[in-house]
């Protein structure tokens, strides 16, 4: 729950969506040094579930059953959770930041992470557009094939061999 994950704006956007059947599940642990009263104020809010850490199996079930995976980060070095979601055929709604553009390509619906209204608009769009979700899933199947641990290992090996 580090500040760069931008959960406060995601929570604000969620609370502005008028759909009582839409629930938000937040996955990931937190350290007390990142305690944020503004984020903690949403604990117990109707429709918001702070799950903390979950197992890989539980995470994959969440991805597979989600309307979308939403990642509002302000900054990332890469974006492995985005690829994990793509591998589970989960549509992505993510921040328009360079790392996510590189990782997600055409397989995501992008929003301005500093604009609560844009986050809300994009979440509402994915919720109400089955065709868009299917398009993103198809793009995601192609996109995630660009990444694997094997390809990463080969890149590292090639770099080491050049030294």
């Amino acid at each position: 729950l580090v500040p760069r994950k931008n959960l406060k704006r995601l929570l604000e956007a969620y609370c502005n969506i008028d759909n009582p059947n839409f629930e938000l599940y937040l996955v990931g642990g937190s350290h007390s040094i990142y305690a944020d009263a503004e984020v903690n104020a949403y604990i117990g809010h109707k429709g918001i579930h702070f799950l903390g850490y979950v197992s890989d199996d539980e995470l994959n079930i969440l991805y597979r059953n989600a309307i979308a995976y939403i990642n509002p980060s302000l900054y990332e070095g890469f974006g492995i959770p985005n690829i994990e979601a793509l591998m589970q055929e989960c549509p992505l709604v993510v921040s328009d930041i360079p790392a996510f553009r590189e990782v997600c390509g055409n397989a995501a619906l992008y929003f301005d992470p500093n604009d609560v209204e844009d986050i809300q608009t994009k979440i509402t769009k994915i919720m109400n557009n089955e065709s868009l979700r299917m398009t993103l899933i198809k793009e995601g199947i192609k996109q995630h094939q660009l990444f694997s641990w094997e390809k990463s290992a080969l890149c590292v090996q090639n770099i080491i061999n050049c030294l």
Side-chain angles (χ1 to χ4, degrees), residues 63-77:
Y63 285 139
R64 284 192 302 268
N65 290 291
I67 290 171
Y69 170 67
I70 305 165
N71 191 333
S73 286
L74 296 169
Y75 173 81
E76 293 291 337

Side-chain angles (χ1 to χ4, degrees), residues 90-157:
C90 183
L92 301 180
V93 182
V94 300
S95 295
D96 192 355
I97 58 175
F100 289 176
R101 283 281 179 180
E102 179 182 348
V103 169
C104 304
N106 294 326
L109 183 60
Y110 295 94
F111 56 77
D112 177 348
N114 294 299
D115 184 343
V116 172
E117 187 175 321
D118 193 33
I119 297 168
Q120 175 190 343
T121 298
K122 298 303 176 14
I123 293 170
T124 302
K125 185 173 184 175
I126 198 79
M127 285 172 36
N128 297 320
N129 191 331
E130 180 71 19
S131 176
L132 175 60
R133 284 197 305 275
M134 292 299 109
T135 297
L136 292 176
I137 288 170
K138 287 177 187 173
E139 289 295 325
I141 291 168
K142 293 187 280 188
Q143 186 69 22
H144 87 74
Q145 292 174 0
L146 300 175
F147 303 95
S148 72
W149 290 115
E150 293 80 13
K151 288 179 183 178
S152 295
L154 285 173
C155 287
V156 171
Q157 182 179 15

